[in-house]
Amino acid sequence: MEKYTTLSSVQQDIKDSKLHLRQLVEAYLQRIEENKHLNAFVEVFAEEARSQAEIVNSRLLDGTAGKLAGMVIGIKDLICYQNHIVSAGSKILDNYRSVFSSTVVERLLAEDAVIIGRQNCDEFAMGGSNENSFHGPVKNNADNSRVPGGSSGGSAVAVQAGLCMASLGTDTGGSVRQPAAFCGVVGLKPTYGRVSRHGVIAYASSFDQVGPITNSVEDAALLLEVIAGHDEYDSTSSTLPVPAYTQQLDFSGKKRIAYLPETLTSEGLDPEVKALTEKTIKELQEAGHAVEPISFPYLDFVVPTYYILTMAEASSNLARYDGVHYGYRSPNATDLESTYKKSRSEGFGAEVKRRILLGSFVLSAGHYDAFYGKAQRVRRVIREKTDEILQDHDFILLPTTPGPAFGIGEKTDDPVTMYLADIFTVQASLAGIPAISLPLGETKTNLPLGIQLIGKRFGESELLAFSKYILNVTKSR
Amino acid sequence: MTAMDTEQKVMTEEVLNKYELVIGLEIHAQLATKTKIFSSDPAFFGAEPNKHTTPVSLGLPGTLPKINEEVVTCAVKLGLATHCKINLVNRFDRKNYFYADLPKGYQITQDELPICQKGFIVINLKDKEEKKIRLNRIHMEEDAGKSMHDKDDRYSLIDLNRAGVPLLEIVSEPDLRSAEEAAAYLSEVRRIVRYLDVCDGNMEEGSLRCDANISVRLKGAAEYGCRCEVKNLNSIRNLQRAVNYEFRRQVQLIESGERIDQNTLNFDAATGVTSVLRSKEMALDYRYFPEPDLPPLHLSQDWVDELRKELPVLPEQRIKRYTSELGLSEYDASLLTNDRSVADFYEELISVSSNYKSAANWVIGPVQSLLNESGKEISELGIPASAIAEIIQLVEEGKVNNSAATQQIFPVLTASPGKQVNEIARELNLFIDTNEDDLDAFIEQAVSKYPDKVVEYNKGKKGVLGLFMGELMKVSGGKIDPKTANKLLISKLESLK
Amino acid sequence: MNLDNETIVRIAHLARLEVNESEKESLLKDMNNILHFMEKLNELDTTDVEPLIYLTDEINVLREDVVKQEITAEAALLNAPLHDGTYFKVSKVIDKG
């Protein structure tokens, strides 16, 4: 079967009776099986997907189907689905069965999406390579010796390798955008508060957002349209109405785009990434858009600020995993204290433990004002300056990552590279604004490369329209 | 000096009198809202274990809190009733610690910006002037579940019904100086929360709980001594016992040259003794930070002003009015205002009867007894205040005597609250219509029955008058005017000297 | 600031995690890293800057005091490592005093 890359083509073929959704699901199930080595899925909901496909196909034919009918989607192992296990990539929740569904899953199902399985990720969304999962590492389909990125590695690979049409991942500091870049697909982080966090296992509460990973901008727009919007269960969800993103994808006019020169002059930047970015800038300029360098004086502060805040919030959010009411309890527990210490130490992986400890350190007595309080002030400075740039410009353009996917186990310790990697993606997370990674090129060895666009707060409509435009511009090179 | 001598030295009143007790109370009031503070499961007490739960109150992965608007209303009402400044902008914080009954591993509370600050509560002590006890703050937070350690040998059993039930924490300044003051303050808080209908004030069931911060210092000292916190006192009496015990314990330590450690203590109600629950070294680091999942509250002054208008008249104000304007005693005023529904009934009664004292006696006496016996609420009794007013009128006009009113009319009225008072009096033949001649005859009868008591009376034992009056009531069938009868009886008795 | 073994012991206890000897070394290194981060942040003068606490402009997000019973007691206990159908069970707290 041909690889479908957009929902519209699926829906058309089903309506024309050229395709039955059941066939498509079977094809995906088979591809998942054939690509088990990628380890993208932790669990496949085969039977459910099959029966759901039957129901949705009939609806498509009699005209009663929802917007996502024909969409076969995977969800990151961090997003709750009633009656299904959600393990957050961790041993501590490996047998935990959710008794309720997240709002995003409910909205997917209400529009007739078929959820085919839960996807591997870094434990509790902490990581940038999907090497921190209890269920083992995920492999990049472009090169199996390389990482797919993280934490939504499984979600990105699944779309890359055609194991499903789209995925829902989560992005806290880049966890949707970076794997999307490594895997050559589209990955969007919405504005903070655009999408409900109810039923999404929390890592850092003031950063987490669910985001779609797709082949096309159209499908990203459609998914966002379905999952976005106010949720009575999430007090931080925005009450602003949701635009019909899919109706607003036609781009026209000229845009003003800023790029941050510091990001392009660092030694740690892979020359091919630099070249791709500069090429994109030039193409946009030639198409009549104003693209200019804007200095961002606080670039050096984004990484420390991000880590201080996210580790602090995570240390509190993960306190509930204590072996008492749900999740893993150590067989070596002899009283309450040992239940805590042993269950948590045995149930959590090393990276998670590290971040919890450091977060507790940041918040501990005597350090709160100096660390957390200070970081919150610096966050405001970063946000205000970024907003200022976006007052005079429509978008900020920069690489998504400093280089293509690195090798599994290679886990670069080079501070400059790691530093750059974080700078590119965390700024949008700190400011709470939307950002998208677009697969605009490849290395000479055919490894995907992504370029990132950051948009105005709640400006996903403009961001998506321009993204679609850029992809067309670069495709026609 | 022997150890015994030292101990004896310490325990004298003289020694104790050198010291001043300093007490601050932290009171937790469980709110009588329908649902919990951050989730929609029921908040009421008494359900089967773990039935009042939702994913949010269980702290399941992926869940988020949402504030119950009624809790905010209750907090503002209490703040207004206690003269607090309402912080129009206030927010929630996380208090991080681990315990089996705390499913999220943190409690959502208010630390830096509580909803109410700097109020006061007035307490009245016997034979003393009223005293203002300052409040430091009132804030909103969630309760924890319950863990039970003595139902099973190997395991603690946990019930999360209570997890997430709304609490208002009321923190006083260390202005209390004795167990009596502490008890008066706790009583007053209890009365206020019941008046406002925000909490049922039931200490046995745990809807009102009290922690006491107790320290001592030499009288006249400027600095406070080191304080100990006694937790979870579940009755006013236990509060007093714990305070008194701590006073002596701390004084003894100081007199022996020892230091007071800033410990958290438990009070054993059975033995009357405090013991260390948590030492200073184990002092917990709660790592407070603002709750990112809950946007802040920006209350409007208009809304607060509306709530102020809706407040019931509070005990403090009513007592003032009853004593200064209506001429009631402090004691009576206090009894009348103990329960808001009873106080409201009294208000109704005095709106139709100007005999305030009589009205007070009726409410404190027969009506209260009926309430105590029946266990019902005053509204359930269905006796109209106007009926009581009528009875008072009849007695005042001398048409029926008081004991007939309380012992005969009232019970009938209770059984048939719709009945007319005049009709009852007529049916029971209680109208005083005894003329003076008949009255003389009745008096003659009563007096001749107890000749020896006549002698006693004239020897100075005036108390036997009651016996004669009682007899008089009997023989006359209660249809006499007690005032007149009393006068005539006394002159008769004295004539027999 | 003095970061030493005592700090690790205290923080590990706060977080209810066990840290073995080999982990202690890398943990100390990480904590020192945090201090470096903080040195960096302290280069920025934020005297008149309010901390950014909330990422949305929403305020007064309240719900009505109406009961919604969403799950049963069975569901509440579903994932409990140990329960007796009524209560969650955990090995006993050792009396601290």
Side-chain angles (χ1 to χ4, degrees), chain C residues 24-38:
Chain C
K24 278 186 183 169
E25 208 185 291
S26 68
L27 191 57
L28 266 176
K29 195 168 125 224
D30 285 331
M31 286 194 195
N32 272 300
N33 234 12
I34 302 258
L35 296 188
H36 289 317
F37 278 168
M38 285 321 305

Side-chain angles (χ1 to χ4, degrees), chain B residues 169-180:
Chain B
E169 180 170 338
I170 306 153
V171 182
S172 81
E173 297 288 4
D175 289 349
L176 299 162
R177 294 286 174 271
S178 67
E180 192 201 350

Side-chain angles (χ1 to χ4, degrees), chain B residues 34-37 39-40 50-51 66-69 91 149 151-154 156 158 295-296 298, chain C residues 14 16 54 58 60 62-69 71 73 76 82 86-90 92 96:
Chain B
K34 297 200 197 79
T35 62
K36 298 185 179 180
I37 186 173
S39 54
S40 301
N50 294 304
K51 274 238 150 46
K66 190 163 181 181
I67 306 168
N68 178 345
E69 64 183 5
R91 63 144 203 262
H149 309 294
K151 281 192 166 186
D152 182 299
D153 276 345
R154 285 185 60 201
S156 297
I158 301 164
H298 287 227
Chain C
L14 274 183
R16 296 303 187 278
Y54 304 105
E58 305 294 324
N60 296 336
L62 301 166
R63 80 186 147 80
E64 274 179 47
D65 188 25
V66 170
V67 172
K68 269 198 231 169
Q69 192 80 58
I71 57 171
L82 190 63
T86 311
Y87 295 99
F88 295 90
K89 289 169 77 159
V90 69
K92 266 206 204 198
K96 289 191 190 106

